[in-house]
């Protein structure tokens, strides 16, 4: 709040921010944009005067009221039918040059001038009747009201509860205007008791509609200046003109931001998520498990171990191992059971993401009854199966592509084992040849006593040693490759799981998060508008 009145500029800035957020939400911002534009225009016109509009139905005496304030005929008066077809202004002669741009913006072509010093800061406008039979009269009133600084609702004892005025104007505008007064005209037609009862009823009606206290002034315009003395004092003492204008612009801006905030569901309890975080987390956890079921982490781990062992055979075996590895690759078994990258990339062959998307859709569907009607189409669209499955599928494709390009782990121990395997193969060939020679030619050879088995010829013992060494080396290679493979498999599985979680978290409720971000921006704009 500035020393001169409400910070209208701050409120209008908050309104523009709120319009930006509301537009992102797909809300209707037409009315708010009109108010923001009107406020920007009005701030550019800073005459030392404010505009009061006389608004009421046929025969309540608006024109008579204005004529009584002026002390002369400004607006033609009539009791049986509407006589004001276009807005008529009454302004002080020494400020008319300053207020002409303002009157032009209001579409007022006719102005009566006066020299009353006490009402120098007031421009009074007599608008057409709100219940006029002329189709254009009500639209003139509706179009002019947003541009008016102060509204004087003129009623009489017979028409103060008129449905047109009450339902079409008071309910819509009383909460959006900062400075207003209700004028109970023709009060002189009632006796004292009836006058008190009607005035009390009018005040009750105003409180119910406006949700706050609004002054009610009783007048008798037919009595001339004496009958409108109280209203004259209220107009003269209302406030400095710029403060009145600022208050009206601030009130209109706040009302517009509040209307947008109500449509987005952030006016009452702030921008609390329409889908509670606990429900989102449960849905995300369920979707992650369904995605991982299709990606198949257990199968990925088996592929990782098999791939590591295959790499170990190529580097850690002798000539026979190289031959079996080549057969393993050429037969296609390596691609089927030891290709981590290929296994991950083919995740779509193992199933779709329908079950994963259904978990997300269920969470969104459960929340829809509590979503403001204006946002429901966007919330519903964010859970559309094809779109949601497409987002999740693209996210999974990216992460599996990244993990499918990793290399199988290697070990410096494998070449050493391979060298020992080669040497052992040579020993095995030599021992086989020696055994064959010994069987055929029966040369004299030494024998060695082995526990349990007894004496064994040297060729046979050497063959057994070579076979045992080959077995031990093969087991050592397999155990080491398996251990290394399982370590890699667990790391890879954990990395894939973490990336799937991030991908699902980013893709599942991404449109909802954008909606919630805009709702938060709108709530912040609402808070700023009411703080200024």
């Amino acid at each position: 709040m500035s020393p001169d009145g409400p910070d209208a500029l701050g409120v209008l800035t908050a309104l523009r921010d709120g319009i930006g957020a509301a537009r992102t939400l797909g809300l209707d911002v037409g009315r708010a944009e009109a108010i923001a534009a009107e406020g920007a225009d009005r701030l550019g016109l800073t005459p030392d005067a404010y505009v009061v509009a006389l608004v009421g139905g046929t025969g309540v005496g608006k024109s008579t009221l204005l004529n009584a304030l002026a002390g002369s005929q400004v607006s033609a008066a009539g009791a049986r039918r509407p006589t004001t077809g276009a807005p008529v202004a009454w302004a002080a002669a020494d400020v008319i040059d300053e207020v002409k741009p303002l009157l032009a913006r209001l579409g007022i072509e006719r102005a009566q001038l006066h020299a009353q010093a006490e009402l120098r800061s007031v421009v009074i406008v007599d608008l057409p009747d709100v219940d006029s039979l002329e189709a254009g009269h009500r639209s003139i009133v509706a179009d002019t009201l947003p541009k008016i600084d102060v509204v004087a609702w003129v009623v009489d004892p017979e028409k103060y509860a008129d449905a047109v005025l009450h339902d079409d104007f008071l309910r819509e505008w009383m909460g959006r205007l900062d400075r207003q007064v209700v004028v109970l005209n023709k009060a002189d037609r009632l006796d004292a008791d009836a006058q008190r009862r009607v005035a009390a009823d009018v005040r009750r009606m105003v409180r119910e509609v406006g949700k706050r206290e609004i002054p009610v002034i009783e007048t008798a315009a037919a009595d001339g200046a004496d009958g409108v003395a109280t209203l004259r004092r209220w107009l003269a003492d209302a406030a400095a003109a710029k403060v009145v204008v600022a208050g009206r612009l601030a009130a209109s801006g706040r009302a517009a931001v509040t209307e947008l905030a109500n449509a987005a569901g952030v006016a009452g309890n702030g921008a609390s998520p329409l889908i509670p975080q606990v429900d989102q987390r449960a849905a995300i956890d369920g979707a992650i498990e369904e995605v991982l079921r299709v990606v198949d982490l257990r199968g990925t781990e088996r592929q990782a171990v098999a791939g590591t062992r295959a790499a170990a055979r190529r580097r850690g075996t002798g000539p026979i191992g190289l031959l079996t590895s080549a057969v393993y690759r050429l037969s296609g078994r390596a691609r089927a059971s030891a290709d981590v990258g290929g296994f991950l990339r083919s995740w779509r062959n193992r199933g779709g993401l329908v079950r994963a998307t259904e978990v997300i859709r269920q969470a969104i569907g459960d929340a829809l009854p509590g979503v403001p009607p204006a946002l429901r189409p966007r919330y519903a669209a964010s859970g559309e199966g094809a779109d949601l499955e497409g987002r999740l599928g693209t996210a999974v494709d990216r992460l599996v592509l990244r993990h499918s390009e990793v290399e199988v782990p290697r070990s410096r121990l494998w070449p050493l084992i391979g060298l020992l395997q080669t040497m052992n193969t040579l020993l095995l060939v030599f021992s086989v040849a020696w055994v064959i020679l010994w069987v055929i030619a029966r040369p004299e050879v030494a024998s060695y006593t082995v526990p349990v088995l007894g004496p064994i010829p040297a060729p046979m013992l050497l063959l057994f040693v070579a076979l045992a060494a080959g077995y031990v080396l093969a087991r050592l290679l397999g155990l080491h490759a398996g251990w290394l493979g399982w370590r890699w498999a667990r790391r890879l599985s954990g990395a894939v799981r973490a990336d799937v979680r991030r991908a699902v978290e980013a893709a599942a409720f991404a449109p909802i998060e954008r909606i919630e971000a805009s709702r938060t921006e709108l709530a912040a704009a609402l808070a700023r508008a009411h703080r200024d």
Side-chain angles (χ1 to χ4, degrees):
M1 182 78 74
S2 70
D4 296 327
D7 185 0
L9 182 59
V11 173
L12 292 175
T13 300
L15 173 58
R16 285 192 291 272
D17 293 342
I19 288 172
R23 188 180 292 111
T24 303
L25 292 171
L27 301 178
D28 182 3
V29 297
R31 189 207 296 264
E33 286 181 329
I35 292 174
E38 192 274 330
D41 290 344
R42 186 66 176 89
L43 285 176
L45 302 171
T46 57
D48 190 19
Y50 66 93
V51 180
V52 178
L54 302 179
V55 182
T58 305
V60 296
K62 294 188 290 84
S63 299
T64 305
L65 196 68
L66 177 55
N67 294 337
L69 289 168
S72 62
Q73 181 167 307
V74 175
S75 182
R80 295 186 178 276
R81 62 183 183 86
T83 55
T84 304
V88 178
W90 183 66
D94 59 348
V95 298
I96 189 61
D97 291 336
E98 296 179 35
V99 302
K100 275 183 178 179
L102 179 58
L103 295 179
R105 188 175 62 87
L106 295 173
I108 299 174
E109 300 176 354
R110 188 159 59 99
Q112 295 285 346
L113 305 182
H114 69 84
Q116 299 183 27
E118 62 179 340
L119 295 181
R120 179 182 180 277
S121 297
V122 184
V123 177
I124 300 179
V125 176
D126 184 13
L127 292 178
D129 301 328
V130 297
D131 56 356
S132 172
L133 297 177
E134 294 291 335
H137 287 185
R138 287 181 61 181
S139 63
I140 290 175
V141 177
D143 292 342
T144 307
L145 275 180
K147 307 172 185 178
I148 296 298
D149 301 320
V150 178
V151 174
W153 305 100
V154 183
V155 300
D156 66 13
E158 296 178 356
K159 303 188 68 171
Y160 67 87
D162 180 75
V164 174
L165 177 67
H166 186 275
D167 297 335
D168 294 356
F169 285 91
L170 295 185
R171 285 195 181 279
E172 180 177 0
W173 288 99
M174 270 195 165
R176 299 169 57 186
L177 299 172
D178 179 65
R179 187 75 179 175
Q180 53 193 317
V181 64
V182 176
V183 179
L184 176 57
N185 195 26
K186 303 180 183 180
D188 55 315
R189 298 185 179 182
L190 303 173
D191 60 37
D193 289 340
Q195 190 171 332
R196 283 193 296 271
R197 287 197 304 271
V198 171
D201 198 34
V202 171
R203 289 186 175 88
R204 177 197 56 76
M205 179 191 73
V206 169
R207 280 195 301 272
E208 290 178 356
V209 176
K211 307 302 181 185
R212 58 192 173 99
E213 292 294 334
I214 294 173
V216 176
I217 297 176
E218 300 170 33
T219 63
D223 294 342
D226 293 339
V228 296
T230 305
L231 177 61
R232 177 187 296 275
R233 286 193 298 272
W234 188 89
L235 293 172
D237 298 340
K242 293 180 180 179
V243 175
V244 174
V245 173
R248 193 267 298 180
L249 294 177
S252 297
R254 290 189 189 102
V257 177
T258 302
E259 185 177 349
L260 295 177
N262 281 328
V266 298
N269 55 356
S272 56
L274 297 175
I275 301 180
Q277 290 293 336
V278 63
D279 294 341
Q280 288 194 38
R281 177 55 53 195
I284 287 173
D285 290 342
I288 288 170
E289 293 306 314
E290 292 298 334
V291 172
L292 291 176
R293 182 184 60 82
V294 178
V295 173
D296 190 2
L297 289 186
R298 291 296 180 87
T300 302
E301 291 175 353
R302 290 193 295 269
Q303 292 275 333
V305 173
T308 306
R309 284 176 171 160
R313 282 196 295 270
R314 289 195 297 273
R315 290 167 176 78
T317 58
I320 296 176
L322 293 176
L323 179 62
T324 57
S325 294
V327 172
Y328 188 67
R329 290 193 304 274
L330 293 175
S331 66
R333 291 181 60 194
R335 288 192 301 274
S337 60
D339 182 8
V340 177
F343 185 80
L344 284 173
R345 287 191 296 271
S346 64
W347 69 272
R348 289 183 182 272
N349 296 334
R350 295 187 287 278
L353 297 176
V354 175
R355 292 174 64 176
T357 58
E358 188 58 32
V359 176
I360 305 297
R361 290 181 62 195
Q362 184 65 42
I364 295 174
D366 290 344
L368 278 181
V371 174
L375 300 184
R376 283 178 192 168
R378 291 214 165 196
Y379 260 73
S382 67
E384 288 295 328
D387 181 58
L388 181 56
E389 189 170 356
R391 292 199 307 271
L392 286 178
T394 300
V396 175
D397 281 337
R398 284 197 296 266
L399 75 89
V400 299
L401 181 63
R402 182 168 62 254
H403 288 292
S404 66
E405 295 174 351
V406 296
E407 293 186 0
V408 176
R410 305 286 188 269
S411 173
R412 295 178 180 178
L413 180 63
W414 295 348
L416 176 59
I417 295 176
L419 177 61
L420 294 176
Q421 285 277 38
T422 300
M423 295 172 60
N424 186 68
T425 299
L426 296 176
L427 178 62
L428 182 62
V429 171
F430 173 76
S431 62
V432 169
W434 194 12
V435 168
I436 293 173
L437 178 63
W438 174 73
V439 170
I440 295 175
R442 290 290 179 174
E444 191 71 26
V445 295
S447 294
Y448 298 91
T449 301
V450 177
V452 179
L453 298 179
I456 298 177
M460 294 296 295
L461 182 61
L462 185 60
L463 177 61
F464 291 154
V465 170
L467 290 173
Y471 174 77
V472 170
L473 289 173
R475 290 294 298 163
L476 177 63
L477 179 66
L479 290 173
H480 184 265
W483 172 75
L484 199 63
W486 275 113
R487 283 182 57 196
W488 176 49
R490 298 305 296 174
R491 289 198 304 272
L492 178 62
S493 175
V496 171
R497 178 181 288 275
D499 278 358
V500 166
R501 173 170 290 278
R502 283 190 288 270
V504 173
E505 288 176 342
F509 290 100
I512 300 295
E513 290 174 359
R514 288 192 290 272
I515 293 173
E516 294 299 343
S518 296
R519 293 180 71 244
T520 300
E521 293 177 13
L522 186 50
L526 177 66
R528 290 197 305 275
H530 284 275
R531 184 172 60 244
D532 290 324

